Amino acid sequence: MALTDGTEQRRPRAPLAPWLKGSLLTLGSIAVTMLGLLFVTFIIGRVMPIDPVLAIVGERASQSTYDAVYEQLGLDKPLLVQFFYYLTDVMRGDFGMSLLNARPVSEDIARVFPATLELATMGVFMGIVLGVPLGVIAAVRRGSWIDQVARVVALVGYSMPIFWLGLMGLLIFYGILGWVGGPGRLDIFYEDIVPARTGMILVDSALAGDWSVFKNAFSHIILPASLLGYYSLAYISRMTRSFMLEQLSAEYVTTARVKGMSERAVIWRHAFKNIRVQLITVIALSYANLLEGSVLTEIIFSWPGIGSYITTALLSADMNAVLGGTVVVGLIFICLNIFSDLLYRVFDPRSK
């Protein structure tokens, strides 16, 4: 269609597709979050009352040696320049060298992280399998003895210090009863028998078909995983109960019951279906907390995971290892948030 002056009428541009706009916003949010995380970890490394040069050369080194290492680390440059170098190194996956063993921090993290992943995954699995049904039943039987037991279980899980539970568990189930394995991931006899394909001993031993190693590894992981699972169960069951109580008091539930629908169908097909999206966030947060917050559990059970690695590095003034582990933990939180957002779009069409 032409206008009177002979120029062609411009058609209005089609709006950017909602999914593309949402993807761009998500990527932008991830980039800003990662930049903020890296900046915070960089500042922490600079304000900590630890001199990385002294940690390398020792207190008896000469001033010339100290100055040479100081310049080699780039500490003589402006703070913004140091942050730029730090940013470019991290983007390449280079977290520097560990002061404890003179190995790249990225290699150390890749070695210890599977142990934490295995422990936290088993713990959150226990929390989901036991916590979700317990929360649902407690909501359906509100005020009954089952509800009271569920609330006490959740309260104890929040209140009891995990290090105390760990010590009592080792004393009773390992020291007295002998039902589980002791600290560590394996007995010395079973170490280095199966090839480390994934770094998770249960998976590697199953892939190798060596069930004696699998049984021994399971006896070692079951107690610390149960403690983390109990902590996860307390959180998941409490939130599930709260979500279900809100849905069971809704009008559509009353309508379904009036129409003669079975109680099982009302609970699981309608009420529980409407809390799945909320549970996604709860489970993702619980999993992230177990991956990041299992430091005390790993220390008590001598579990060689990332929590123990960061703690040992901090006590040894190995800031490269501390900052590298902190960045990895922060990246885990970001990835789990992205994953939960994707599941939101799958289970809740309104969020698309």
Side-chain angles (χ1 to χ4, degrees):
M1 178 179 178
L3 299 176
T4 55
D5 58 356
T7 60
E8 184 178 355
Q9 184 181 14
R10 294 182 179 179
R11 295 182 178 179
R13 293 182 180 180
L16 190 64
W19 65 269
L20 179 58
K21 183 178 179 181
S23 300
L24 293 176
L25 290 175
T26 301
L27 291 176
S29 176
I30 294 171
V32 172
T33 304
M34 279 300 301
L35 185 63
L37 172 65
L38 293 174
F39 181 75
V40 170
T41 55
F42 172 79
I43 294 299
I44 291 175
R46 294 299 180 268
V47 301
M48 287 286 290
I50 297 174
D51 191 340
V53 180
L54 286 180
I56 295 175
V57 302
E59 296 182 357
R60 297 184 178 181
S62 63
Q63 186 63 37
S64 59
T65 302
Y66 181 93
D67 294 338
V69 175
Y70 188 85
E71 294 180 3
Q72 183 180 0
L73 295 177
L75 299 177
D76 59 323
K77 296 179 174 58
L79 199 61
L80 289 178
V81 176
Q82 295 181 41
F83 176 68
F84 176 76
Y85 289 155
Y86 173 73
L87 181 63
T88 53
D89 289 341
V90 171
M91 296 305 292
R92 296 197 308 266
D94 182 9
F95 298 107
M97 304 294 292
S98 172
L99 303 181
L100 291 176
N101 50 33
R103 288 200 303 259
V105 173
S106 56
E107 293 183 4
D108 285 343
I109 293 176
R111 174 176 52 84
V112 301
F113 181 70
T116 299
L117 181 64
E118 183 177 39
L119 181 61
T121 301
M122 191 168 179
V124 79
F125 177 78
M126 293 180 179
I128 295 171
V129 171
L130 300 176
V132 172
L134 181 62
V136 172
I137 295 173
V140 174
R141 303 290 181 87
R142 183 178 183 179
S144 65
W145 67 269
I146 298 179
D147 185 25
Q148 299 299 328
V149 169
R151 295 171 68 179
V152 170
V153 167
L155 179 62
V156 172
Y158 275 111
S159 304
M160 284 291 184
I162 196 168
F163 68 86
W164 185 85
L165 289 176
L167 292 175
M168 292 300 101
L170 278 175
L171 175 63
I172 297 173
F173 296 105
Y174 170 65
I176 298 177
L177 299 176
W179 289 355
V180 299
R185 302 180 72 188
L186 282 173
D187 290 338
I188 297 178
F189 176 78
Y190 294 97
E191 291 183 356
D192 300 324
I193 292 181
V194 297
R197 300 179 183 177
T198 65
M200 294 180 285
I201 296 180
L202 290 178
V203 177
D204 292 340
S205 58
L207 291 176
D210 195 327
W211 300 111
S212 61
V213 176
F214 182 92
K215 181 180 178 180
N216 187 262
F218 184 82
S219 70
H220 282 265
I221 197 176
I222 185 63
L223 183 57
S226 297
L227 290 177
L228 293 179
Y230 181 40
Y231 176 79
S232 179
L233 179 151
Y235 177 57
I236 292 176
S237 65
R238 177 174 175 269
M239 298 307 297
T240 302
R241 178 183 181 275
S242 177
F243 296 151
M244 283 295 295
L245 286 176
E246 181 181 358
Q247 294 299 321
L248 291 174
S249 62
E251 293 183 359
Y252 75 91
V253 172
T254 304
T255 303
R257 287 170 173 165
V258 170
K259 290 183 177 180
M261 185 174 293
S262 66
E263 189 68 13
R264 185 184 186 89
V266 170
I267 294 171
W268 295 104
R269 293 183 186 177
H270 293 276
F272 183 76
K273 183 178 180 180
N274 287 333
I275 71 168
R276 290 184 304 178
V277 176
Q278 295 169 298
L279 280 180
I280 289 172
T281 302
V282 170
I283 293 172
L285 289 176
S286 179
Y287 192 33
N289 286 330
L290 293 189
L291 286 171
E292 180 268 338
S294 58
V295 176
L296 291 176
T297 303
E298 291 184 357
I299 292 174
I300 293 170
F301 290 92
S302 299
W303 198 263
I306 193 169
S308 297
Y309 177 75
I310 294 176
T311 303
T312 303
L314 183 60
L315 296 176
S316 305
D318 190 353
M319 292 309 299
N320 286 339
V322 173
L323 297 182
T326 303
V327 170
V328 170
V329 169
L331 184 61
I332 291 170
F333 269 89
I334 294 174
C335 291
L336 286 174
N337 282 329
I338 296 173
F339 181 68
S340 63
D341 183 66
L342 293 175
L343 291 180
Y344 256 67
R345 300 173 185 273
V346 173
F347 289 112
D348 189 358
R350 296 171 298 178
S351 62
K352 295 182 180 180

